[in-house]
Amino acid sequence: MPIDHRAEYDLAAAAAARLRDAGFGDAAVAIQTGSGIAPPDLASRRTLAWTDIPGFPRATAPGHRGAIHHGLCRGVPVLVLEGRLHLYEGHAPAEVIRPIRAVGLAGVRSVILTNAAGGVRESLRAGDVVRVTDHINLQRSDPLAGVNDPRFGDRFVVTAGRAHDRTLGRFAAEAARELGIALADGVYAAVPGPSFESPAEVRMLRAIGADVVGMSTVPEVLAATQLGLRVLVLSLVANPAGVVKDDATAEAEVLAVGASHGGALTRIVEGVVARIGTETS
């Protein structure tokens, strides 16, 4: 049955109202954390469980707590979505993007999306941070499909040159350089999951121009772009795609790299937030 985005607007608006009622409505930036990637440190931090927000489905993926935090990051009021929803959990595409729509309707104007990804480009190694400059949607769905509601924005989202904001990308490069962290550029391919890619599929992804691959993020990019939000995507390379150590499951390997190397990505995020703050100060 097609998604009715008029009903989705009501659900996202109710969630946004809950965030404003909790005093979360002043946030300038929303940050979404990927698998095993810790949220940045926040001053005056307050937390709501997703179960306390109307319309937010329960997150079930490992490493995704399902909480939303409000606080100050480098003096800038932010919201942190600790975790995300995935198609492979059984969620409908419209459910996956509902949290991003809610924070957008609550007043956020910039979104930083992070994820753990497989490295498709042969030069990438576990722990590398990639600034996503474009994406390939291989998930066989578009979260904007269905009965349109123009209150979300233009139905036909033009992503070229808009979906991955150049100013936020420059902020990420400046922050990484200042911190002495190597930052690569790359194209993110989104696949449905939950199966990890086979070596043959990795060769296919490489052939079509992908540098990293994951099971998320593109739905949120499209939803945020429709709302007119600026978007930055940062990927933490968890492993060479199609390769899993003999003594680890792919899932455990992803979470372990997030714990050991996610701090570098988080420091870049904090640097971007600080630069966003100077735009409005």
Side-chain angles (χ1 to χ4, degrees):
M1 185 174 180
I3 295 294
D4 188 335
H5 289 279
R6 297 168 298 186
E8 283 297 320
Y9 188 92
D10 293 340
L11 288 166
R18 175 71 178 95
L19 296 176
R20 288 192 294 268
D21 289 344
F24 290 11
D26 63 339
V29 185
I31 302 160
Q32 188 167 45
T33 61
S35 299
I37 300 172
D41 290 331
L42 301 179
S44 304
R45 172 169 155 174
R46 291 174 292 157
T47 300
L48 283 175
W50 283 18
T51 52
D52 292 334
I53 303 171
F56 272 35
R58 188 169 66 91
T60 65
H64 293 268
R65 176 181 170 187
I68 186 164
H69 311 286
H70 175 275
L72 297 177
C73 177
R74 301 289 188 90
V76 179
V78 302
L79 293 176
V80 179
L81 291 161
E82 189 178 1
R84 60 161 46 91
L85 305 167
H86 304 78
L87 295 174
Y88 67 72
E89 296 174 73
H91 298 298
E95 291 177 324
V96 169
I97 63 175
R98 200 175 291 157
I100 290 296
R101 282 177 157 176
V103 299
L105 293 181
V108 161
R109 303 317 301 163
S110 297
V111 177
I112 303 172
L113 306 172
T114 72
N115 61 56
V120 174
R121 192 165 74 220
E122 291 180 298
S123 61
L124 293 173
R125 297 291 180 266
D128 287 350
V129 182
V130 177
R131 173 181 57 181
V132 173
T133 56
D134 206 348
H135 66 255
I136 302 170
N137 186 2
L138 300 176
Q139 294 193 313
R140 301 192 298 273
S141 68
D142 187 317
L144 309 185
V147 180
N148 186 52
D149 189 324
R151 290 176 292 179
F152 281 125
D154 189 354
R155 178 182 221 173
F156 302 102
V157 174
V158 180
T159 60
R162 298 189 192 177
H164 301 275
D165 187 78
R166 293 180 182 179
T167 298
L168 296 187
R170 174 170 56 82
F171 288 169
E174 292 172 355
R177 189 162 52 247
E178 183 178 277
L179 292 162
I181 298 171
L183 181 66
D185 285 346
V187 174
Y188 178 92
V191 296
S195 300
F196 281 74
E197 303 74 35
S198 71
E201 288 168 336
V202 172
R203 292 194 295 273
M204 176 199 72
L205 291 166
R206 198 172 289 147
I208 65 174
D211 298 292
V212 289
V213 60
M215 304 170 190
S216 67
T217 306
V218 167
E220 291 97 331
V221 169
L222 295 173
T225 303
Q226 186 185 39
L227 283 165
L229 311 184
R230 299 191 300 175
V231 180
L232 171 68
V233 177
L234 296 172
S235 293
L236 178 67
V237 178
N239 53 18
V243 178
V244 179
K245 294 177 183 177
D246 291 339
D247 59 348
T249 66
E251 177 183 295
E253 198 171 347
V254 168
L255 296 179
V257 171
S260 61
H261 292 84
L265 185 151
T266 300
R267 290 195 295 275
I268 294 173
V269 168
E270 292 170 347
V272 173
V273 170
R275 286 162 171 79
I276 293 172
T278 64
E279 293 181 313
T280 56
S281 61

